[in-house]
Amino acid sequence: LPRDAVASELGSGFTFLTDTEIAPHDGIAAAETQIQSALAAYHAQFPVRPFAPRNLIIPAAMAPVLSQHVQTIMRADGRLRTKNGMLAAFEHDPVARLDQDQRARMAEIETHFRDAGLDATRAPGDEKADADLLALLIDAGAVLALQNVALNQTLLLHADILTAAAEILNRKFPAPQEFTTSAARRALDTSRRVIVPVLEHFDSLGITARTGNSRRMTANEVSPPAAQG
């Protein structure tokens, strides 16, 4: 049957999830409640984690098309945040749940990455114990996690360091002058392991534009690099 005929036959108690799949309104509402309840329980158990893994929140029995439909609704009406396959209740504020010691430790971690420059070091101290605090810094955009795909490595760099790096490149290679990856590496006095993901990050933000093996800066003034969502 055509979609209009199906809608007329079923009445107003159903919603089309796709052109061929439908769900009753009470089923959609129940799915929303399931997700909200699972998020509330996760945030209560792990109050300083910014996001919950999707597989721990979305029931395995929930149809993917229904799950995506409900997540879209919840994002649109301000009840849900999503990032890199993770979910969080929109009102969840993990920073507000930090105690004084945790706040001090998070400040130490941020200072560590700011002082590290482009060395792309790991988090100081106990990585497992600091994981939630580092996740908060990444979520806030203070520290960025860049991927070196070729080496299968994640580089952690402070946003201020990336802004400074972009400003150096802008001075060394004012638009429309082109430069190579090697020239950028020398200008920033860093390694190829670091420069490749840094330049790819700048490409994604429109700070640089790549043509073949060369790039150029796109503006005379550089905006601070933002965290990718």
Side-chain angles (χ1 to χ4, degrees):
L1 290 177
R3 174 169 172 163
D4 289 345
V6 173
S8 177
E9 184 71 21
L10 293 176
S12 60
F14 291 81
T15 292
F16 277 87
L17 306 181
T18 68
D19 286 339
T20 59
E21 297 175 275
I22 60 175
H25 290 175
D26 57 355
I28 294 173
E32 292 181 28
T33 299
Q34 280 184 290
I35 293 174
Q36 285 180 306
S37 297
L39 278 174
Y42 188 91
H43 292 327
Q45 185 177 1
F46 305 106
V48 302
R49 293 184 183 177
F51 288 90
R54 189 186 303 269
N55 66 314
L56 297 183
I57 302 302
I58 305 299
M62 186 179 294
V65 65
L66 175 59
S67 165
Q68 290 303 317
H69 180 80
V70 170
Q71 290 176 61
T72 299
I73 292 173
M74 295 176 69
R75 284 195 301 267
D77 62 18
R79 286 179 290 157
L80 182 71
R81 284 202 306 145
T82 61
K83 184 177 182 179
N84 298 330
M86 308 278 276
L87 307 175
F90 193 84
E91 70 277 6
H92 176 57
D93 184 3
V95 175
R97 306 293 295 273
L98 297 176
D99 60 32
Q100 185 174 355
D101 290 342
Q102 289 171 318
R103 289 177 185 274
R105 180 56 181 159
M106 189 163 75
E108 290 177 358
I109 296 171
E110 181 176 2
T111 297
H112 166 82
F113 283 109
R114 186 183 285 113
D115 292 346
L118 289 173
D119 286 343
T121 57
R122 294 182 176 181
D126 188 334
E127 291 186 37
K128 185 175 181 180
D130 291 336
D132 291 345
L133 301 179
L134 178 58
L136 287 179
L137 288 169
I138 293 173
D139 184 50
V143 173
L144 278 73
L146 307 186
Q147 303 300 319
N148 186 317
V149 177
L151 298 179
N152 192 28
Q153 291 182 345
T154 299
L155 308 183
L156 301 173
L157 299 171
H158 197 281
D160 291 350
I161 299 302
L162 288 168
T163 298
E167 290 172 346
I168 291 171
L169 293 178
N170 210 40
R171 291 195 300 271
K172 293 280 189 179
F173 311 107
Q177 180 180 345
E178 294 190 345
F179 58 93
T180 63
T181 298
S182 295
R185 178 186 60 77
R186 291 192 296 270
L188 297 178
D189 190 25
T190 189
S191 65
R192 184 170 179 82
R193 176 178 71 94
V194 173
I195 195 62
V196 169
V198 166
L199 290 177
E200 289 175 347
H201 176 65
F202 290 164
D203 292 344
S204 72
L205 296 177
I207 292 174
T208 54
R210 182 175 180 177
T211 304
N213 293 323
S214 298
R215 288 178 169 85
R216 60 177 176 80
M217 305 304 290
T218 59
N220 292 325
E221 294 185 5
V222 177
S223 300
Q228 295 178 308

